[in-house]
Amino acid sequence: MTGNDVRRKFLEYFEKHHHQIVRSSSLVPHDDPTLLFVNAGMVQFKRLFLGEEKRGYSRATTSQKCVRAGGKHNDLENVGYTARHHTFFEMLGNFSFGDYFKEKAVDFGWDLLTNGYGLPADKLWVSIFLDDDEAAEIWHRQIGVPEDRIVRFGEEDNFWAMGDTGPCGPCSEIHLDRGEAYGCGKPDCALGCECDRFLEIWNLVFMQFNRDASGEMTPLPKPSIDTGLGLERMVSILQDVPTNYDIDLIVPIIERAEALSGIGRNASHEAEVAMKVIADHSRAAAFLIGDGILPSNEGRGYVLRRIMRRAIRYGRNIGLTKPFLHETATVVFDVMKPEYPELAEAEAFITNVIQNEELRFSETIDYGLKLLNETLDEMKVRGETVVPGDVVFKLYDTYGFPVDIVQDVVRDQALGVDMDGFNVAMDRQREQSRQVSSFDEISDAFRTLTADGFKAEFRGYDGIEAESKVVLLVSDGTEVTEADTGAAVDVVAEVTPFYGESGGQVGDVGTIAGPQGKVDVTDTVKDPTGLIIHKGRVVEGALRTGDAITLSVDEDKRRATQLNHTATHILHAMLRKVLGDHVKQAGSLVAPDRLRFDFTHFSQVTPEELDRIEWLVNERIRENAPVTIDEMDAEDAFQSGATALFEEKYGDRVRVISLADFSKELCGGTHTDRTGNIGLFKIISESSVASGVRRLEAITGNAAVEQMQHTHHIVRDAARMLKDTPDSLLQKLEGVIAGQKSQEKEIERLKAKIVGLQADDTADTIQKVNGVSLLVKRVAVDTPGALRDLADRYRDKLKSGVIVLGSAVDSKVLLIAVVTKDLTDRFHAGNIVKSIAPVVGGGGGGRPDMAQAGGSKPENLDQALKKAEELLSGD
RNA sequence: GGGGAUGUAGCUCAGUUGGGAGAGCGCGGCGUUCGCAACGCCGAGGUCGAGGGUUCGAGUCCCUUCAUCUCCA
């Protein structure tokens, strides 16, 4: 049975038992800021379990993409060294939302394992929570598992909780005894042993309590089921192979690594580890990038970067010094194509991103090697043989140069590394970073409201005004019953026409009028549960909870925003048409005054392409296509080929926005009703955001017309100033610039000439003191540079001597002292200016042969020069 | 969220108590050559990331800010 068969069989089994097959959600969790990546099957159903969300089914089954790296669950450092750790894996699961409970869950699990997958019932063990007698009863009486194969474990192993508070409950795990051959051989080897004999394969969570802040647990009215069966692990059992890395979903990746390196995975322990790391990380990288994450220096992108770099580093251990990860990732597409066709579609983009990262990392390594070698050279000069730990740490911490590569290099040169020192520095850094991190907390008031089942109704698709009632007022993060004039306030209403910021479209602005007061709404946001919060300030009277209110959206701004939003959809479609199907939306901002669109593309969009895109978008606008909006089931929408975005969350009912036959997108935003309303579309900039992602900014409607007029005025006025027509403006400007250049040159030449003339006029001022030529003179130049030039000329003339020049410019004084090289042992230019500069109220300094100074008392310049003469004569 | 580093010519970078903005490669012109490569000579190209401060004077010191890199959480 292939891995893909195992997955299919699971989903089909539960579909047969009236479960909705739900597609895997993106690896990026949409509404959970505390979670870096989706790491379990239940994540996308969290709000269903909490009762905050309802969907059209009460039973579901999924094969969920999961990543465990970088967050609370971090298996990154284990991958390669164990049989079953992954950063990326798939979790099969069946879920009941207040439908069936323990009995059926146990029944399904056992039936599928024994009858479906054909596992021997007498090799299956079951663990349950200490006092969950109900579960024990079901397993023993209903299923017939002998009592000696039912084991009770404590809270650590068999009690599950979503967090410190919320739904929780006991769980029950099904284990498989693979026989002594897989065991550690110890006499006390039994279920729970760390070895590979007893494999935990399926975890059934019985969600039956709700735990409050005080720790008290109350029974849930509708208990639920959440189960998790690791696909890779299950496949390894059914294919009867020793590790997850021997299954047909992964072996092809390893085989590619073997082919590329020319080394077999069994060649050495090192090779074995490297192959596993490469196989796992290739999968993680392919899927993470496929879900829209790009390598970066923070957050999710940084975790992705670390995963890729870890793979590259291990690749070096088996001689893969050139970029290879994009090749092993290609195998991932082939293997996973049946279940994840969208991954294969993005192949070009994903491999490109990986290759870029490989090149970037090799730059990091090259630079680190350079720094390391410099350090080693210095050490050798000093006769040291151990690289200090803080040096290694600095290379790692600041330049990202991996420690194991330091060790390789150092070993080759028969030197040592102070790893203890490194670890001390590392621990210090950890300690330092572990200071409590405070992240934005959603006010408790909002949370309570949502938990009580309140749902604000959005009525802004059809109108911009609504009558409603104040449900909640929050000021300074705490709930209030009244907000007075001047107070900043967050308002929640029963119904609202205000669009809360989401999907790139900014929140509406407008006013809320109550019986005794008015609030200016400056922004509208949507919290993760969909609660619409109006943010504003009371500008008149006061607003109280329960007030009847009229909510009015600023019409002009909303309308402008709608034009930009519809234009964004047209732009998206035309980008794909002009640049290719690899173009995918990577971010979007739709504001009243402009739109910004980030998308995946490998190179700069040429000016010609930009023109063509702009032209096509405007053509679509002139077609005046109707904007049709359909609400439908998400599955139907996907089937119909509507474009969905990876960073967006979609419920089961979605809105599909269609523009004639050229655009069909899932979108919750507000749109204009015909493309012709947009009027005019103008691109105003094209830039890069990250490698592989470009950004376009554009304007529409009035803003676009104003922009055109503005630039037209500039050209017209410029032409008028140059007494020319706009068409020949550029030619004219070229001439003007050329003329200016030559004049500047002429000025330079003349200045030099003037300086030369001044320099010629010196005979009378050169004095001979003790055989040394001295020139002390007041001159008329206006910049330090000119003064230097002049001094240089004198020096060239004198061949040997000391020159001190001074010049008064406005309220400032410039001084310079030059000593020819042959005299620097007797005179120090720096000391000369230092001693005379105070006379003009300044200071100065410089090199022995040249020094400058300045001052703010021009009236004392002659006095200062006199002092210089005395100083030099007195030598 | 906390730390470290970098930002100077188209590119790679140098710039040492604060005192003439530089190198190599690339680019343009000329020369040598039948031609090319190579070489020689000449030349263009810089808001020293941005803003503020200290100073007579800031690429250099201080503060703020942006961008990039990097480690930790």
Side-chain angles (χ1 to χ4, degrees):
Chain A
M1 194 182 283
T2 67
N4 286 325
D5 290 342
V6 173
R7 188 194 298 112
R8 193 98 308 265
K9 194 174 190 97
F10 185 94
L11 296 175
E12 279 168 3
Y13 174 84
F14 282 100
E15 187 179 37
K16 202 173 71 196
H17 291 94
H18 312 104
H19 288 64
Q20 172 85 41
I21 298 182
V22 178
R23 66 170 53 206
S24 171
S25 74
S26 158
L27 283 165
V28 183
H30 322 90
D31 42 15
D32 195 340
T34 62
L35 202 58
L36 216 46
F37 299 110
V38 168
N39 58 11
M42 55 78 61
V43 172
Q44 67 163 321
F45 300 117
K46 226 170 175 176
R47 295 194 187 282
L48 253 73
F49 287 123
L50 291 168
E52 291 175 0
E53 195 184 325
K54 288 271 173 289
R55 294 195 194 172
Y57 47 79
S58 58
R59 299 179 178 196
T61 181
T62 59
S63 173
Q64 175 66 49
K65 300 178 272 186
C66 296
V67 163
R68 287 190 182 167
K72 215 177 299 168
H73 288 113
N74 187 359
D75 290 337
L76 185 58
E77 296 306 319
N78 291 323
V79 172
Y81 298 94
T82 67
R84 322 217 170 266
H85 279 105
H86 300 285
T87 55
F88 173 86
F89 62 95
E90 286 171 274
M91 185 77 98
L92 299 166
N94 57 296
F95 307 90
S96 153
F97 312 109
D99 191 291
Y100 62 83
F101 196 49
K102 270 184 212 182
E103 214 167 287
K104 267 205 144 47
V106 165
D107 204 33
F108 284 143
W110 190 264
D111 182 42
L112 176 56
L113 286 184
T114 55
N115 299 321
Y117 289 128
L119 294 185
D122 60 336
K123 296 287 183 208
L124 292 178
W125 289 57
V126 169
S127 69
I128 58 172
F129 181 58
L130 281 178
D131 57 6
D132 191 1
D133 295 331
E134 191 187 355
E137 192 75 0
I138 297 171
W139 282 117
H140 183 53
R141 299 241 181 279
Q142 183 182 317
I143 305 294
V145 179
E147 267 171 340
D148 60 352
R149 280 198 274 124
I150 299 176
V151 186
R152 294 180 188 243
F153 284 134
E155 194 150 331
E156 179 95 350
D157 295 300
N158 282 55
F159 195 87
W160 180 91
M162 200 181 279
D164 292 339
T165 60
C168 56
C171 52
S172 184
E173 291 174 333
I174 306 173
H175 307 252
L176 175 72
D177 179 1
R178 308 190 82 189
E180 285 176 16
Y182 287 99
C184 51
K186 288 179 193 146
D188 59 346
C189 181
L191 191 61
C193 181
E194 288 297 315
C195 73
D196 264 354
R197 174 169 173 180
F198 294 95
L199 260 191
E200 168 202 328
I201 47 183
W202 200 343
N203 190 5
L204 315 176
V205 178
F206 311 129
M207 242 181 265
Q208 63 185 118
F209 300 111
N210 186 32
R211 184 155 56 188
D212 65 18
S214 68
E216 197 182 327
M217 296 196 292
T218 49
L220 286 170
K222 285 186 164 180
S224 296
I225 292 295
D226 154 32
T227 82
L229 171 79
L231 173 68
E232 291 76 8
R233 182 171 291 208
M234 191 66 209
V235 175
S236 78
I237 290 165
L238 293 175
Q239 295 180 350
D240 195 25
V241 289
T243 78
N244 290 10
Y245 289 89
D246 300 293
I247 66 174
D248 68 329
L249 294 174
I250 294 184
V251 163
I253 312 172
I254 291 181
E255 283 171 349
R256 177 66 64 92
E258 288 178 318
L260 288 170
S261 65
I263 294 173
R265 75 182 274 191
N266 299 321
S268 64
H269 177 65
E270 195 179 38
E272 172 82 26
V273 170
M275 297 289 178
K276 285 181 183 166
V277 167
I278 291 167
D280 175 90
H281 295 359
S282 296
R283 278 157 47 97
F287 275 92
L288 285 169
I289 299 168
D291 273 344
I293 296 165
L294 291 168
S296 90
N297 53 352
E298 53 192 27
R300 299 185 176 108
Y302 181 55
V303 176
L304 168 61
R305 173 168 283 171
R306 274 168 57 185
I307 290 172
M308 291 204 276
R309 293 192 170 186
R310 187 164 185 265
I312 298 167
R313 249 169 50 219
Y314 278 84
R316 291 172 68 97
N317 292 345
I318 51 172
L320 293 170
T321 49
K322 285 206 281 272
F324 67 92
L325 197 61
H326 61 285
E327 303 231 25
T328 50
T330 305
V331 185
V332 179
F333 306 131
D334 295 341
V335 174
M336 302 301 254
K337 212 170 348 192
E339 195 63 24
Y340 302 96
E342 72 277 11
L343 192 68
E345 278 168 30
E347 172 167 355
F349 176 69
I350 296 173
T351 49
N352 204 299
V353 169
I354 295 177
Q355 209 167 358
N356 269 336
E357 183 59 24
E358 294 189 277
L359 292 174
R360 212 180 243 291
F361 188 43
S362 73
E363 282 170 19
T364 301
I365 290 181
D366 289 345
Y367 191 67
L369 278 176
K370 188 182 136 195
L371 292 175
L372 178 61
N373 283 325
E374 281 169 11
T375 309
L376 293 181
D377 288 345
E378 283 169 28
M379 277 173 51
K380 280 177 200 154
V381 169
R382 287 198 298 268
E384 296 168 24
T385 57
V386 177
V387 186
D390 59 343
V391 171
V392 181
F393 181 73
K394 168 125 180 149
L395 278 168
Y396 175 66
D397 182 58
T398 303
Y399 303 103
F401 191 68
V403 179
D404 46 4
I405 298 183
V406 172
Q407 287 174 313
D408 286 347
V409 173
V410 166
R411 197 181 311 123
D412 291 345
Q413 306 198 13
L415 297 169
V417 178
D418 172 21
M419 284 308 291
D420 291 341
F422 172 81
N423 289 326
V424 167
M426 196 75 217
D427 289 342
R428 195 165 48 227
Q429 145 106 318
R430 284 212 177 90
E431 204 45 53
Q432 199 179 0
S433 298
R434 204 167 288 153
Q435 315 295 0
V436 272
S437 59
S438 66
F439 46 90
D440 279 355
E441 274 290 320
I442 305 167
S443 171
D444 282 343
F446 296 127
R447 196 171 302 190
T448 313
L449 193 63
T450 309
D452 289 347
F454 174 80
K455 250 200 142 70
E457 194 189 328
F458 176 64
R459 291 231 184 116
Y461 288 131
D462 312 316
I464 55 163
E465 205 166 280
E467 304 292 330
S468 186
K469 212 174 80 179
V470 175
V471 174
L472 178 69
L473 287 177
V474 172
S475 197
D476 287 335
T478 54
E479 179 171 358
V480 293
T481 53
E482 178 176 332
D484 296 323
T485 308
V489 67
D490 296 348
V491 184
V492 177
E494 264 175 3
V495 300
T496 178
F498 281 72
Y499 185 84
E501 176 180 359
S502 63
Q505 181 175 335
V506 300
D508 277 328
V509 300
T511 55
I512 295 176
Q516 281 129 39
K518 204 169 106 179
V519 172
D520 260 3
V521 178
T522 51
D523 194 12
T524 308
V525 300
K526 218 158 144 183
D527 89 343
T529 68
L531 193 65
I532 299 171
I533 302 166
H534 309 81
K535 294 181 148 324
R537 189 172 290 277
V538 183
V539 288
E540 255 176 60
L543 195 68
R544 291 187 188 81
T545 311
D547 277 357
I549 47 173
T550 304
L551 300 104
S552 319
V553 174
D554 182 318
E555 188 175 357
D556 291 345
K557 289 211 165 107
R558 161 68 83 81
R559 198 174 302 207
T561 304
Q562 297 190 161
L563 298 184
N564 280 337
H565 206 151
T566 305
T568 299
H569 285 213
I570 306 178
L571 172 63
H572 188 183
M574 294 309 110
L575 280 170
R576 290 173 70 92
K577 187 171 171 132
V578 174
L579 302 176
D581 284 343
H582 61 277
V583 168
K584 283 215 167 56
Q585 177 168 346
S588 163
L589 173 77
V590 180
D593 59 331
R594 74 204 159 100
L595 66 93
R596 195 174 71 201
F597 193 77
D598 297 347
F599 57 98
T600 55
H601 184 59
F602 310 124
S603 55
Q604 194 178 1
V605 185
T606 65
E608 294 75 21
E609 285 167 335
L610 285 177
D611 283 350
R612 173 140 180 80
I613 291 160
E614 196 175 88
W615 202 89
L616 285 172
V617 171
N618 279 298
E619 194 177 52
R620 294 290 169 273
I621 290 170
R622 289 194 305 275
E623 277 174 18
N624 201 19
V627 178
T628 44
I629 299 168
D630 298 300
E631 204 168 293
M632 59 174 85
D633 283 341
E635 260 328 291
D636 296 339
F638 290 126
Q639 295 298 324
S640 76
T643 311
L645 310 174
F646 32 64
E647 87 274 21
E648 276 296 306
K649 178 208 167 111
Y650 301 104
D652 295 303
R653 295 287 291 175
V654 295
R655 282 160 47 90
V656 176
I657 315 292
S658 313
L659 309 173
D661 61 348
F662 59 86
S663 166
K664 190 181 257 189
E665 281 192 46
L666 267 63
C667 177
T670 65
H671 286 264
T672 192
D673 52 5
R674 292 196 85 95
T675 60
N677 296 344
I678 297 166
L680 178 62
F681 171 89
K682 182 87 194 81
I683 295 173
I684 51 177
S685 80
E686 193 273 349
S687 57
S688 159
V689 188
S691 86
V693 181
R694 308 298 300 181
R695 165 172 294 175
L696 283 188
E697 288 188 86
I699 49 181
T700 64
N702 286 340
V705 174
E706 278 164 19
Q707 164 77 17
M708 302 279 281
Q709 290 177 340
H710 178 68
T711 44
H712 177 252
H713 292 163
I714 291 174
V715 172
R716 186 192 60 195
D717 294 347
R720 190 181 297 154
M721 284 165 81
L722 289 170
K723 302 203 183 350
D724 206 340
T725 62
D727 282 343
S728 48
L729 192 60
L730 291 182
Q731 217 184 336
K732 183 95 172 191
L733 261 179
E734 272 173 15
V736 170
I737 290 168
Q740 164 139 358
K741 269 242 139 73
S742 79
Q743 282 172 6
E744 274 170 10
K745 283 211 154 147
E746 183 67 8
I747 290 170
E748 281 303 310
R749 205 180 57 77
L750 292 174
K751 270 191 178 166
K753 199 167 179 183
I754 292 168
V755 167
L757 289 175
Q758 286 195 42
D760 287 341
D761 178 28
T762 55
D764 52 338
T765 47
I766 294 177
Q767 311 167 41
K768 280 265 184 193
V769 178
N770 300 336
V772 177
S773 301
L774 293 183
L775 173 66
V776 178
K777 194 182 176 194
R778 180 171 181 150
V779 295
V781 295
D782 51 4
T783 65
L787 192 63
R788 269 193 313 264
D789 285 344
L790 188 54
D792 283 349
R793 284 186 166 263
Y794 283 133
R795 187 186 55 203
D796 293 345
K797 238 177 145 92
L798 254 55
K799 302 279 191 290
S800 169
V802 178
I803 300 143
V804 178
L805 302 178
S807 173
V809 189
D810 300 329
S811 60
K812 290 270 174 75
V813 178
L814 300 173
L815 289 172
I816 190 168
V818 169
V819 177
T820 53
K821 294 270 186 198
D822 57 316
L823 297 174
T824 48
D825 50 342
R826 293 177 55 189
F827 301 97
H828 190 290
N831 292 341
I832 296 170
V833 295
K834 262 184 197 145
S835 49
I836 64 169
V839 180
V840 289
R847 307 188 308 256
D849 62 318
M850 204 287 296
Q852 286 170 270
S856 50
K857 295 180 184 161
E859 65 275 17
N860 290 351
L861 176 56
D862 289 327
Q863 201 185 325
L865 291 175
K866 187 131 188 89
K867 181 164 182 187
E869 266 178 53
E870 288 164 10
L871 196 74
L872 295 166
S873 311
D875 183 66

